[in-house]
Amino acid sequence: MAEVESFTLDHDAVKAPYVRLIAEETGPKGDVIANYDLRFLQPNEQEMPTACIHTIEHLLADLLRDELPGIIDCSPFGCRTGFHLMTWNVYSTTEVAQSLTKVLTKVVNEIEWEDVQGTERKNCGNYRDHSLISAKEWCRQVIEQGISDDAFNRHVVTLP
Ligand SMILES: [Zn+2]
């Protein structure tokens, strides 16, 4: 059986919202990729509705790329408490938490429905299941609580 890092994490020990570096991995040619846990909600206490997490996924795919060059992918966790982020560049959790804070603040304050990319039938696998209102409300909660750069001890980042 494979040893899966996320299944060894004590989900009762973490304090969301936080950014955690899951792993840095080096490929056969020396390229390094980093994998992060962007935890929006406390595990087993709250979860985002699917329309909310789906819309946030579309927004992060666009807005987080402007902040962090080298993003490979950002995808929702099946448990709906956060997202995986994979990057070519290795950033500190402080840098990722600051970028995420900036992006979620923009979602809450500036983003209109026309700004959400890929919400037509031809470019989304479930275009009927989106909610910007819900996305804004859950992002607001994350911003109000503050994003920590440490998963186990609250250390909320501030913007430079
Ligand atoms: Zn979609």
Side-chain angles (χ1 to χ4, degrees):
M1 218 188 285
E3 167 97 346
V4 181
E5 193 277 345
S6 343
F7 298 153
T8 65
L9 174 73
D10 180 351
H11 285 70
D12 286 326
V14 297
K15 297 184 174 98
Y18 65 79
V19 171
R20 183 174 68 93
L21 176 66
I22 298 171
E24 278 179 44
E25 293 193 28
T26 307
K29 295 187 176 171
D31 291 323
V32 179
I33 62 164
N35 183 11
Y36 301 90
D37 165 357
L38 310 182
R39 192 72 60 161
F40 282 36
L41 306 180
Q42 187 62 30
N44 300 302
E45 288 185 10
Q46 289 187 312
E47 71 285 326
M48 286 174 265
T50 58
C52 161
I53 200 166
H54 187 194
T55 300
I56 295 174
E57 176 198 14
H58 280 233
L59 287 165
L60 291 180
D62 172 19
L63 302 173
L64 204 51
R65 275 198 169 77
D66 294 340
E67 296 296 324
L68 296 171
I71 289 181
I72 298 167
D73 186 43
C74 188
S75 306
F77 292 145
C79 60
R80 293 185 275 129
T81 60
F83 296 82
H84 264 299
L85 171 69
M86 275 187 274
T87 61
W88 283 113
N89 304 325
V90 178
Y91 295 99
S92 69
T93 54
T94 309
E95 289 173 300
V96 177
Q98 285 172 331
S99 299
L100 188 60
T101 301
K102 214 170 144 184
V103 165
L104 299 191
T105 304
K106 190 171 182 183
V107 169
V108 170
N109 295 327
E110 295 173 38
I111 293 295
E112 308 284 349
W113 178 243
E114 305 74 60
D115 303 321
V116 187
Q117 291 190 37
T119 56
E120 305 289 324
R121 183 187 170 98
K122 65 178 183 301
N123 48 31
C124 177
N126 192 356
Y127 78 104
R128 296 179 183 93
D129 199 22
H130 276 285
S131 173
L132 182 59
I133 291 171
S134 183
K136 280 177 181 273
E137 286 306 309
W138 288 92
C139 288
R140 190 192 312 278
Q141 175 183 295
V142 174
I143 295 300
E144 282 172 1
Q145 292 174 338
I147 302 172
S148 173
D149 59 11
D150 184 318
F152 303 99
N153 299 296
R154 291 289 289 158
H155 181 254
V156 172
V157 298
T158 50
L159 293 181

